[in-house]
């Protein structure tokens, strides 16, 4: 018996020496905000077979030792998170690999769907500018030092360098974005883990009506709050001398302060609160405050239930400040006083994760006091006088560089449902389908409207809309694209469910960003961009100006912009 045991020990020892020294994998598991995750399950797999497991400690650390040399996959998973994996990890004899993993919340995979209206100047950070601290700024390092491989995105990595983006766009852009625009943006991570960004946009001063270039300046700041919270603040100043307000007063200036906070209440409830405060000056001054509230509960790992209250279409959630570029507020002089958009949107949603996709249903109710209606055409001084006359209830704000305008339509109440389905079609491309019911303002059929009475001629009517959207990147090309076709009856000049995800993407619209390479002739980081809205010019409704000229209302007037950007 002793001889048999001795033979077995010698056999095991010989086998271990033949395989060489064992390897080990360790690291830290964090969420997308950089918070260490305790109790996450980490697995090491070889050929889909599990060879080692561990749970993270209080600081999110794990260690899996006694691994034979070879190729492995390391996977981390936790409740309410999408599993993440690091594949093709080659372990040499005696190697100690450090693999830090980041977990994303279950519904982050579908979070690309815009909660607010699309911005024309898409930044370089995967469609949204994101303020992130040094703790969660993506860094990928692959270093070999004495058989040690390091793959890291942790706070222990050096603070990443500043990122700068300079771009120039031109074209018949939307309201307040026409002509040539030179944009400079810098994104910086501070030493205390906070993030800061600065964006400056100088518009061209071409045209007889432009006395000075337009100026947009935004500053954004983010910091961590507590264990799993964050706060963002964006300050914006906008001056547009090309905008003409009621009474033919040239120029509009706007100051905005937008702030938002998010936090976790326990393990299953997310809370987001914030507001936008702005002052607009044209003929007179207007002041407005637009708060929002969003609560999301996760009763199970695959189901979410939420409530959302919003008073502004431009800021409805914490993610609404992913981009510091703020929409130009619309304020018109109507009935002798300044009027701005006002509304109250309340919504209850239920979502369920299906595989890698998501299905979500929402029941909403809107109380819209005033809503801005878009239009196109050249307004004469007579039009401005009639729009501000005793019998007018609309008021008007015109952009002389693009021959577009905004007027205030009457408010209405509505309610409806919203159904959303998202699904990946490739590892880097998503498709979404959204269906909405509700009401929108319609110009009617065969009715002849005039500028002084157009606001009262527009009536709400029940309708529905359907949107199909694609977003992502083409693998191996660097091409990023977002395209959508949003259908609703063409007689409607506002959106069905104006607070929906694709509210301003009427009909055929797309955005394309393509890296430009030409050997060593062009510097790295050069990109070409194209932004198109309502390419087919659908949904235009004619009406008469004060002097008999034909103007048009449209949910989204056609715009085409293109330009170059340089990232360094």
């Amino acid at each position: 018996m002793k001889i048999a045991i001795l033979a077995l020990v010698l056999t095991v020892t010989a086998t271990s020496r033949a395989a060489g020294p064992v390897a080990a994998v360790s690291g830290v598991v964090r969420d997308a905000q950089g918070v260490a995750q305790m109790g996450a399950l980490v697995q090491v797999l070889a050929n889909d077979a599990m060879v080692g497991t561990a749970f993270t400690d209080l600081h999110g650390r794990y260690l899996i030792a006694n691994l034979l040399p070879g190729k492995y996959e390391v996977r981390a998973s936790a409740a309410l998170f999408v599993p993440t994996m690091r594949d093709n990890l080659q372990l040499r004899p005696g190697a100690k690999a450090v693999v830090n993993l980041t977990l994303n919340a279950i519904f982050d995979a579908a979070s690309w769907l815009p909660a607010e209206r699309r911005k024309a100047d898409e930044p370089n950070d995967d469609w949204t500018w994101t303020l992130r601290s040094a703790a969660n700024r993506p860094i990928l390092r692959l270093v070999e030092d004495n058989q040690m491989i390091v793959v890291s995105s942790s706070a222990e990595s050096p603070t990443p360098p500043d990122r700068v983006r300079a771009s120039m766009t031109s074209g018949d852009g939307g309201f307040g974005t026409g002509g040539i625009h030179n944009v400079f943006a810098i994104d910086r991570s501070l030493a205390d883990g906070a993030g800061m960004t600065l964006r400056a946009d100088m518009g061209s001063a071409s045209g007889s009506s432009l006395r000075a270039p337009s100026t947009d300046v935004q500053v954004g700041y983010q910091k961590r709050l507590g264990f799993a919270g964050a706060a963002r603040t964006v300050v914006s100043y906008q001056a547009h001398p090309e905008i003409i307000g009621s009474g033919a007063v040239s120029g509009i200036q706007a100051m905005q302060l937008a702030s938002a906070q998010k936090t976790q209440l326990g393990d299953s409830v997310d809370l987001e609160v914030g507001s936008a405060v702005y002052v607009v000056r044209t003929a007179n001054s207007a002041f407005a405050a637009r708060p929002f509230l969003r609560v999301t509960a996760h009763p199970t790992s695959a189901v979410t239930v939420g409530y959302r209250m919003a008073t502004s279409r431009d800021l409805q959630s914490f993610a609404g400040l992913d981009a510091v570029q703020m929409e130009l507020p619309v304020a018109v002089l109507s009935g002798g006083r300044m009027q701005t958009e006002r509304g109250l949107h309340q919504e209850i949603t239920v979502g369920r994760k299906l595989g890698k996709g998501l299905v979500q249903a929402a029941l909403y109710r809107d109380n819209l006091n005033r809503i801005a209606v878009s239009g196109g055409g050249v307004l004469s001084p007579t039009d401005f006088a009639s729009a501000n006359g005793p019998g007018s209830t609309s008021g008007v704000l015109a952009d002389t560089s693009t021959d577009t305008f905004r007027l205030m339509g009457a408010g209405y109440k509505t309610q409806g449902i919203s159904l959303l389905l998202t699904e990946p079609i490739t590892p880097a491309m998503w498709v979404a389908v959204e269906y909405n019911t509700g009401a929108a303002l319609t110009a009617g059929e065969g009715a002849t409207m005039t500028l002084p009475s157009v606001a009262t001629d527009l009536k709400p009517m029940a309708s529905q809309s359907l949107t199909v959207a694609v977003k992502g990147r083409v693998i191996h090309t660097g091409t990023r694209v977002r395209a959508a076709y949003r259908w609703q009856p063409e007689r409607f000049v506002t959106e069905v469910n104006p607070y929906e995800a694709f509210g301003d993407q009427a009909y055929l619209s797309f955005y394309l960003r393509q890296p430009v390479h030409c050997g060593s002739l062009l510097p790295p980081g050069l990109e070409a961009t194209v932004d198109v809205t309502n390419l087919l010019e659908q949904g235009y409704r004619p009406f008469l100006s004060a002097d008999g000229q034909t103007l048009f209302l449209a949910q989204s007037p056609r715009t085409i912009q293109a330009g170059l950007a340089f990232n360094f």
Side-chain angles (χ1 to χ4, degrees):
M1 183 67 180
K2 293 182 178 179
I3 296 176
I5 295 175
L6 179 60
L8 180 60
V9 172
L10 292 175
T11 302
V12 173
T13 303
T15 303
S16 299
R17 289 181 178 176
V22 295
V25 176
S26 64
V28 180
V29 178
R30 292 182 171 86
D31 66 6
Q33 298 298 322
V35 178
Q37 295 300 301
M38 179 183 66
L41 173 63
V42 182
Q43 300 170 308
V44 175
L45 304 98
N47 298 323
D48 295 328
M50 186 174 61
V51 298
T53 62
F55 288 94
T56 57
D57 63 12
L58 180 63
H59 303 287
R61 297 173 298 197
Y62 72 92
L63 171 64
I64 301 176
N66 300 320
L67 298 174
L68 297 178
K71 184 181 292 186
Y72 293 95
E73 295 177 343
V74 182
R75 182 173 64 182
S77 59
L80 305 181
F81 288 95
V82 177
T84 186
M85 179 176 292
R86 159 66 176 161
D87 55 7
N88 296 323
L89 177 63
Q90 186 69 45
L91 293 181
R92 299 178 182 177
K96 297 180 181 179
V98 179
V99 179
N100 295 331
L101 300 169
T102 300
L103 291 170
N104 291 303
I106 284 178
F107 296 99
D108 284 349
S111 64
W112 63 269
L113 297 175
E116 280 68 43
R117 303 210 262 198
R118 179 169 61 106
K119 313 298 181 182
D121 182 25
E122 295 283 359
N124 189 40
D125 191 5
D126 195 18
W127 303 97
T128 58
W129 163 79
T130 304
L131 282 170
R132 287 174 289 181
S133 69
N136 58 34
R137 177 78 174 264
I139 305 170
L140 178 61
R141 294 193 302 151
L142 188 60
V143 179
E144 290 195 22
D145 183 14
N146 296 326
Q147 298 184 342
M148 177 174 287
I149 301 174
V150 179
V151 182
S152 176
S153 61
S154 69
E156 298 170 0
S157 301
T159 301
D162 298 341
R163 186 178 60 211
V164 180
R165 177 179 175 88
S167 62
M168 182 181 70
T169 60
S170 180
D172 57 344
F175 186 79
T177 60
I180 299 175
H181 286 259
N182 299 287
V183 181
F184 177 84
I186 181 170
D187 185 8
R188 186 175 190 183
S189 295
L190 305 180
D192 61 354
M196 190 171 185
T197 191
L198 169 67
R199 179 184 180 276
D201 181 343
M202 298 296 293
S204 64
S206 60
S208 58
S209 59
L210 302 185
R211 298 174 298 174
S214 64
T215 303
D216 287 6
V217 179
Q218 291 91 22
V219 178
Y221 175 78
Q222 172 176 286
K223 66 178 180 178
R224 292 277 301 277
L225 293 177
F227 181 72
R232 287 176 177 168
T233 301
V234 175
V235 180
S236 172
Y237 170 76
Q238 297 162 292
H240 288 263
E242 76 276 17
I243 304 293
I244 298 180
S246 299
V249 176
S250 297
I252 181 173
Q253 294 179 313
M255 283 286 296
Q256 300 187 67
L257 174 63
S259 61
Q261 296 183 12
K262 69 175 182 178
T263 187
Q264 288 183 344
L265 304 178
D267 295 330
S268 59
V269 178
D270 299 327
L271 175 65
E272 301 178 19
V273 295
S275 67
V277 180
Y278 58 85
V279 179
V280 186
R281 180 171 180 79
T282 54
N284 290 315
S285 297
F287 172 83
R290 301 288 183 255
F292 74 84
L293 169 67
R294 190 178 189 130
V295 182
T296 305
H298 309 274
T300 70
S301 60
V303 175
T304 61
V305 179
Y307 167 78
R308 178 162 64 99
M309 183 278 293
T311 57
S312 169
R313 290 189 289 172
D314 299 329
L315 183 60
Q316 304 178 41
S317 66
F318 184 85
L321 294 182
D322 281 350
V324 294
Q325 183 181 4
M326 306 292 290
E327 293 281 346
L328 181 65
V330 176
V332 301
L333 186 61
S334 175
R337 56 180 299 203
M338 295 295 292
Q339 302 280 356
T340 61
E341 277 194 300
R342 300 194 307 273
L344 174 63
H345 174 85
Q346 298 187 81
E347 177 181 288
I348 297 176
T349 61
V350 178
R352 180 177 179 83
K353 184 175 180 288
L354 297 178
K356 294 184 178 180
L358 169 72
V359 60
Q360 180 176 284
L363 177 65
Y364 75 90
R365 182 178 180 86
D366 287 344
N367 184 1
L368 304 171
N369 300 107
R370 306 282 286 181
I371 186 168
V373 181
S374 303
V378 180
L379 295 175
S380 66
T382 306
D383 295 328
F384 287 104
S386 63
N388 197 35
S392 175
T393 59
S394 60
V396 67
L397 199 65
D399 181 355
T400 58
S401 66
T402 60
D403 290 333
T404 59
F405 57 84
R406 298 287 188 270
L407 58 85
M408 279 296 173
Y412 59 94
K413 296 181 179 180
T414 182
Q415 61 185 16
I417 62 172
S418 178
L419 302 176
L420 174 66
L421 174 66
T422 70
E423 186 70 24
I425 53 178
T426 72
M429 191 78 68
W430 285 75
V431 63
V433 179
E434 186 183 51
Y435 171 77
N436 287 276
T437 66
L441 292 179
T442 177
E445 294 290 348
T448 301
M449 299 182 298
T450 60
L451 182 60
S453 62
V454 66
T456 55
D457 290 339
L458 296 175
K459 302 295 184 181
M461 183 181 294
S463 185
Q464 53 192 340
S465 66
L466 179 66
T467 302
V468 179
V470 176
K471 180 265 179 183
R473 59 182 176 86
V474 181
I475 300 176
H476 305 308
T477 66
T479 304
R480 296 182 182 271
V481 62
R482 180 171 60 184
Y485 187 86
R486 182 178 185 275
W487 173 88
Q488 70 180 43
E490 294 193 19
R491 66 179 180 273
F492 290 91
V493 297
T494 60
E495 311 93 289
V496 175
N497 185 5
Y499 289 80
E500 65 173 316
F502 301 96
D504 69 332
Q505 297 179 349
Y507 307 108
L508 180 60
S509 303
F510 64 88
Y511 180 88
L512 178 69
R513 191 171 81 223
Q514 174 65 53
V516 180
H517 305 288
C518 188
S520 59
L521 297 179
L522 297 176
L526 189 64
E527 294 178 328
T529 61
V530 178
D531 187 3
V532 179
T533 300
N534 195 3
L535 179 63
L536 304 180
E537 295 187 284
Q538 295 178 269
Y540 281 69
R541 308 302 298 173
F543 71 101
L544 298 179
S545 69
D547 55 5
Q549 300 296 318
T550 301
L551 304 174
F552 294 90
L553 298 178
Q555 181 184 323
S556 296
R558 191 195 73 165
T559 64
I560 299 178
Q561 281 186 301
L564 293 174
F566 183 58
N567 305 284
F568 53 95

